[in-house]
Amino acid sequence: MSKRKQSVGDDSDDSSSDVSLIDVDFDFFDPNPKVDYQALKRLLNQLLQKDAEVYNFDIHALTELVLGQPTVGTTIKTDGIESDPYAFLTVLNMHVHHEHPSIKAIANYALEKSSADPAFHTTLQALFSQNQSHVALVLSERLINMPVQVIPPMYNMLAREMQWAIDDNEPYTFSHYLFITRNYHLTPEEESLLLNAAPSSKGPTSKKSKKATTTQPVPETTPDGIYPYHPEDECIKSASIHSVDYRFKVDSEPREKDSFGLDTRGRIMLVPGERFPELIAKMSEVYAPPT
């Protein structure tokens, strides 16, 4: 039985529109160890890229750890509980699992990547070397065509599930939340191509195309050419006290001018626990589903 169902799409009332939209029902489920292993493992590999192998994250063990706490976290499916998840969100207690090989490797990874920002690095060192307060590792990934509007319900469910776990004396009270996510870098030439390829806002448009533009806006150019894969990462960055962007280890060499594909990179962010409810509220406001 699903936690909740959400429909994302648009009703068809303009046959002349050149934008094709369909209604899709997304079902929210608890992580299911019996059927979700392969799909979650692929999503974790997508999130952590080849650094997962370089830094020995042991994606198999990490996937098992995520599936080992099925009452905290959410997956999204479209074809019933036996189908593969298209997205997931969960938190792992980095102090409770500090001896787990995956968590230990990720903690060292965060320390290494944060060394580019001494204040961030010092904060993480202090958090990882004490036991009075706990740090949550937030893991979230989805297929590229999943709409951002599914994210606020997942975070709201996560907050409720953590509170229920706390009520049962389980260790889900966190002083900080550590997010690991992906972004990409565009050169000025690539930014120019992106803007030139964007649909013009001038002239008449249909209701459907207006809605599509609202939910999937063309990103504004940034001073450093860094763009998030997931729009909600901008909300998370705004709520964070520390954030660092970095190249993946295997992509540390400069790209050739004619290289194919996106220059994918990583980002780590640290959000204080007291800001987490505000962050969820902000996501719900900015990425509310269309009405």
Side-chain angles (χ1 to χ4, degrees), residues 82-94:
E82 297 295 325
S83 61
D84 285 343
Y86 287 7
F88 83 97
L89 170 68
T90 195
V91 294
L92 297 171
N93 189 317
M94 298 188 73

Side-chain angles (χ1 to χ4, degrees), residues 1-130:
M1 184 175 181
S2 67
K3 297 179 178 180
R4 176 177 171 181
K5 185 184 292 286
Q6 176 175 324
S7 179
V8 176
D10 196 8
D11 49 358
S12 179
D13 60 357
D14 188 353
S15 60
S16 63
S17 172
D18 58 356
V19 177
S20 177
L21 299 178
I22 59 173
D23 287 321
V24 178
D25 286 333
F26 294 108
D27 287 312
F28 298 74
F29 292 93
D30 292 324
N32 188 336
K34 295 182 179 179
V35 297
D36 291 349
Y37 173 81
Q38 291 296 339
L40 286 187
K41 185 178 179 181
R42 286 194 297 269
L43 288 171
L44 284 168
N45 273 313
Q46 177 179 298
L47 169 65
L48 300 168
Q49 299 286 297
K50 291 184 180 179
D51 271 9
E53 181 178 351
V54 174
Y55 289 90
N56 299 313
F57 288 168
D58 192 344
I59 294 297
H60 163 73
L62 184 59
T63 305
E64 294 284 1
L65 186 59
V66 170
L67 291 172
Q69 51 173 45
T71 60
V72 175
T74 296
T75 64
I76 297 181
K77 305 182 179 185
T78 62
D79 197 24
I81 193 171
E82 297 295 325
S83 61
D84 285 343
Y86 287 7
F88 83 97
L89 170 68
T90 195
V91 294
L92 297 171
N93 189 317
M94 298 188 73
H95 282 71
V96 169
H97 302 295
H98 71 280
E99 291 296 336
H100 189 281
S102 298
I103 299 302
K104 187 180 294 186
I106 290 173
N108 290 332
Y109 178 77
L111 287 169
E112 177 180 320
K113 298 305 180 183
S114 66
S115 62
D117 180 343
F120 192 0
H121 184 73
T122 300
T123 299
L124 284 183
Q125 282 184 317
L127 287 172
F128 292 161
S129 62
Q130 53 79 48

